[in-house]
Amino acid sequence: MKGVAFDLDGVITDTAKFHFEAWSKLALEKFDLELPAEFESQLKGISRIESLERILAFGKLSGKYTPAQVAELADEKNTYYVAAISKLTQADILPGISQLLADLKTQQVKLSLASASKNAPMILEKLGLLTYFDAIVDPSKLKAGKPAPDIFIEAAKAVGLAPSECVGLEDASAGVAAIKAAGMVAVAIGDKEELAQADTVVSSTADLNYDLLVTSYQQAQGK
């Protein structure tokens, strides 16, 4: 194992609360609509436009805005989101991740970030983790997003490695599919049934450590 490619949201930190905070602010200001807390789960893992369409449907406002207006509102939400994530601190790093990054660097493992978030560099800087990473993939330059393998192939290439020399870390099934399609070993965080395609699944980031990644890599290579 010469490299590890990290997803960001749900692996290094959890920005879902900031997304929902931004959507809630937009809904209240633009539609006089209060989003219930349980609505947050309906907005996870989908695009900005699709999220807004679900909010409009919830408020019985579907079809009342042109595609151009929808795009403008979605961009406004992102402005709110960027403002919200400016509050991030080291306290928002998920359990076990700081130690894992430190141990990987000690072992001279190359680290890359494979996140679809265009705000990833700023988020890492806020968390105080930017210097750990040897490369950050620019998602805007990719032909296809997850579950396509592009981002993980690029994550390996950016640190001068073959995907087969790397482990990928993900918390979503689409991300795991992308890791496997790229030819990496997949270690996932979350539900074992949902993430069954991964080579190893742990329930929490607190369960991640250098030895577990090495063992997962060796076992996968031996299959």
Side-chain angles (χ1 to χ4, degrees), residues 172-223:
S173 56
V176 171
I179 292 171
K180 297 299 292 181
M184 286 186 183
V185 173
V187 174
I189 304 100
D191 182 83
K192 287 191 176 183
E193 290 186 14
E194 183 183 341
L195 303 169
Q197 189 181 356
D199 297 285
T200 300
V201 183
V202 296
S203 59
S204 165
T205 57
D207 299 321
L208 295 172
N209 57 65
Y210 173 75
D211 289 338
L212 179 136
L213 298 191
V214 170
T215 300
S216 300
Y217 180 81
Q218 291 173 340
Q219 288 177 344
Q221 295 298 326
K223 286 180 181 176

Side-chain angles (χ1 to χ4, degrees), residues 87-94 98 125-129:
K87 305 172 191 173
L88 283 169
T89 69
Q90 291 186 353
D92 294 296
I93 301 170
L94 289 175
S98 294
E125 188 171 8
K126 291 289 182 184
L127 296 173
L129 300 177

Side-chain angles (χ1 to χ4, degrees), residues 118-183:
K118 295 176 183 177
N119 300 306
M122 181 180 72
I123 291 171
L124 287 180
E125 188 171 8
K126 291 289 182 184
L127 296 173
L129 300 177
L130 188 59
T131 57
Y132 281 105
F133 288 86
D134 300 291
I136 298 174
V137 178
D138 182 352
S140 68
K141 295 183 178 178
L142 301 173
K143 288 184 179 179
K146 302 169 188 178
D150 303 36
I151 196 166
F152 285 101
I153 291 172
E154 188 58 36
K157 182 181 176 182
V159 292
L161 298 174
S164 60
E165 297 176 299
C166 303
V167 167
L169 295 179
E170 265 283 358
D171 72 318
S173 56
V176 171
I179 292 171
K180 297 299 292 181

